[in-house]
């Protein structure tokens, strides 16, 4: 058992995206400590979802010349995240949040946030950054900070819509959790209490009209995750889906469909509430995932935890696997454009066509690359304390 725990912790540190959801579960475990005996979750091994790691000091600045071209010097550390926002690069560090033009490395927006455990979600031209485990969060665009606000309880997770509506999951008072939705002007549009457990993942659709949330609890000392879907205008969930023994890493609306990415499965829930399993529970081990600009899922996985050979799949919103590629290595990170899906391994960056899964490009990259981000045909990578343009 001890050997397995050490291996899980080692592998968790190599996967930045999955580590964020594992951090959430650990925070939830700490918040729930007062009710562990009642829930019988003391036998659940939350440490298998990873450890909380902190970054190092620093910010973001030009590294080479006054022309402010790539590479840029950025803060290193496990909390640093490079992602995309409305065709721009978004960089969240332990101290600051920046939006960068990928064409010329010009910093369009930069602001210090001062959060102890910053976690970001993005949709369209908006980002929401929460201080996970605290009660503070902020909404930003690509050019300015719109507002900073505080919630009633400690924040577990959050999401944002294309309209700037923010969905928050917090630790409740009498109830265990609460899910709220606020419009861009901070008008409260949803306030729903959850007594059955703690929210580990949350999604709001692009229009800001529907939410989905995953609630973790324990049944007979076994992990149980229930995903609920709900209209913001309703007073109760429309449907629920139960996954015994599996954690849910991510929920994501694509049009009216909902992707459910689990630690060992993937499914798609239709607008009619019908679920299609792309990969059944227990059939895969999720390594990394992302969504391309068309909101389709790209997932890297192995047949079992620690598999030395992985696969990369492009999954449509209908639940159909459109393209798939075999990778003779363990995937560290994945990214995608409208035409290409790309995987980072310990020695290479490999791109495949979304249309047929055929290899398009292969670039040497050693194990010191942390993550990659694709913007059209260009690939950017976080390498040591640098944000580099790798090709193009």
């Amino acid at each position: 058992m001890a050997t397995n725990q050490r291996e899980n912790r080692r592998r968790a540190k190599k996967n930045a995206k999955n580590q964020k959801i594992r951090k959430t579960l650990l925070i939830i475990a700490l918040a729930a400590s007062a009710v562990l005996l009642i829930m019988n979750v003391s036998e659940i091994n939350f440490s298998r979802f990873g450890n909380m790691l902190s970054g190092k000091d620093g910010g973001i600045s030009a590294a080479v010349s006054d022309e402010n071209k790539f590479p840029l010097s950025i803060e290193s550390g496990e909390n640093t995240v490079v992602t995309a926002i409305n065709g721009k690069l978004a960089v969240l560090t332990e101290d600051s949040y920046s939006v960068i033009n990928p064409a010329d490395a010009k910093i369009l927006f930069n602001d210090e946030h001062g959060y102890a455990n910053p976690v970001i979600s993005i949709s369209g031209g908006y980002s929401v950054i929460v201080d996970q485990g605290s009660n503070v969060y902020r909404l930003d665009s690509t050019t300015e900070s719109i507002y900073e606000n505080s919630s009633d309880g400690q924040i577990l997770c959050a999401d944002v819509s294309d309209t700037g509506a923010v969905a928050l999951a917090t630790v409740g008072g009498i109830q265990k959790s609460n899910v709220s939705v606020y419009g861009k002007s901070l008008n409260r549009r949803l306030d729903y209490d959850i007594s059955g457990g703690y929210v580990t993942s949350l999604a709001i659709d692009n229009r800001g009209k529907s939410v989905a949330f995953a609630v973790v609890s324990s049944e007979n000392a076994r992990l149980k995750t229930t995903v609920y879907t709900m209209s913001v205008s309703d007073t109760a969930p429309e449907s629920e889906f139960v996954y015994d023994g599996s954690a849910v890493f991510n929920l994501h609306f694509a049009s009216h469909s909902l992707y459910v990415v689990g630690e060992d499965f993937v499914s798609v829930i239709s607008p009619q509430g019908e679920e299609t399993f792309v990969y059944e529970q227990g059939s895969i081990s999720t390594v990394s995932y992302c969504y391309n600009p068309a909101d389709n899922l790209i997932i890297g996985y192995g047949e079992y935890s620690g598999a030395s050979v992985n696969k990369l799949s492009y999954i449509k919103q209908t639940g159909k696997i459109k393209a798939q590629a075999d990778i003779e290595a363990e995937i560290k990170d994945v990214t995608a454009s409208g035409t290409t899906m790309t995987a980072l391994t310990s020695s290479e960056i490999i791109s495949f066509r979304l249309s047929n899964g055929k290899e398009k490009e292969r670039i040497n990259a050693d194990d010191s690359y942390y993550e990659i981000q694709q913007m059209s045909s260009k690939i950017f990578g976080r390498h040591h304390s640098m944000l580099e343009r790798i090709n193009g």
Side-chain angles (χ1 to χ4, degrees), residues 150-322:
S150 59
S151 62
D152 294 335
Q154 292 180 325
I155 298 172
L156 299 171
C157 50
D159 197 18
V160 64
S161 74
D162 285 0
T163 65
V166 171
L168 286 178
T170 59
V171 176
I174 298 175
Q175 307 296 334
K176 291 184 174 66
S177 302
N178 176 272
V179 171
S180 301
V181 173
Y182 296 89
K184 189 178 174 182
S185 59
L186 286 174
N187 55 310
R188 197 164 188 164
R189 299 169 52 192
L190 175 68
D191 182 12
Y192 182 71
D193 288 325
I194 302 158
S195 60
Y198 294 87
V199 177
T200 60
S201 185
L202 175 67
I204 187 168
D205 73 342
N206 289 342
R207 304 170 301 157
K209 294 185 177 181
S210 297
V211 293
F213 44 96
V215 178
V216 66
S217 60
S218 175
E219 192 169 280
N220 298 321
R222 180 176 169 83
L223 179 73
K224 175 183 175 182
T225 305
T226 305
V227 170
Y228 298 90
T229 63
M230 184 175 183
S231 172
V232 170
S233 60
D234 288 344
T235 58
E238 300 166 347
S239 56
E240 63 180 72
F241 305 86
V242 177
Y243 310 97
D244 287 320
S246 295
V248 170
F249 284 166
N250 183 257
L251 299 172
H252 184 81
F253 280 102
S255 187
H256 300 292
S257 297
L258 177 71
Y259 286 107
V260 183
V261 179
E263 62 175 333
D264 60 358
F265 74 95
V266 174
S267 70
V268 177
I269 299 172
S270 73
Q272 294 75 35
E274 298 175 353
E275 185 171 29
T276 299
F277 276 91
V278 184
Y279 301 109
E280 296 284 345
Q281 278 185 268
S283 65
I284 65 170
S285 178
T286 300
V287 177
S288 187
Y289 56 86
C290 70
Y291 301 92
N292 76 345
D295 262 348
N296 292 309
L297 173 65
I298 313 297
I299 184 168
Y301 67 92
E303 292 184 355
Y304 53 88
S305 178
S308 59
V309 175
N310 286 177
K311 292 181 181 292
L312 192 63
S313 288
Y314 165 40
I315 300 170
K316 299 283 284 183
Q317 298 167 18
T318 58
K320 178 182 178 181
I321 300 174
K322 177 67 175 179

Side-chain angles (χ1 to χ4, degrees), residues 317-333:
Q317 298 167 18
T318 58
K320 178 182 178 181
I321 300 174
K322 177 67 175 179
Q324 193 171 71
D326 293 326
I327 296 178
E328 298 297 318
E330 183 180 350
I331 293 173
K332 294 175 64 176
D333 193 26

Side-chain angles (χ1 to χ4, degrees), residues 23-44 46 52 133 154-156 170-177 194-200 215-218 223:
K23 281 185 181 180
T24 304
L25 291 171
L26 183 56
I27 289 172
I28 291 164
L30 294 173
S33 59
V35 293
L36 284 178
L37 292 177
I38 298 174
M39 293 180 63
N40 286 324
V41 297
S42 57
E43 297 181 32
I44 297 177
F46 281 94
M52 295 178 65
Q154 292 180 325
I155 298 172
L156 299 171
T170 59
V171 176
I174 298 175
Q175 307 296 334
K176 291 184 174 66
S177 302
I194 302 158
S195 60
Y198 294 87
V199 177
T200 60
V215 178
V216 66
S217 60
S218 175
L223 179 73

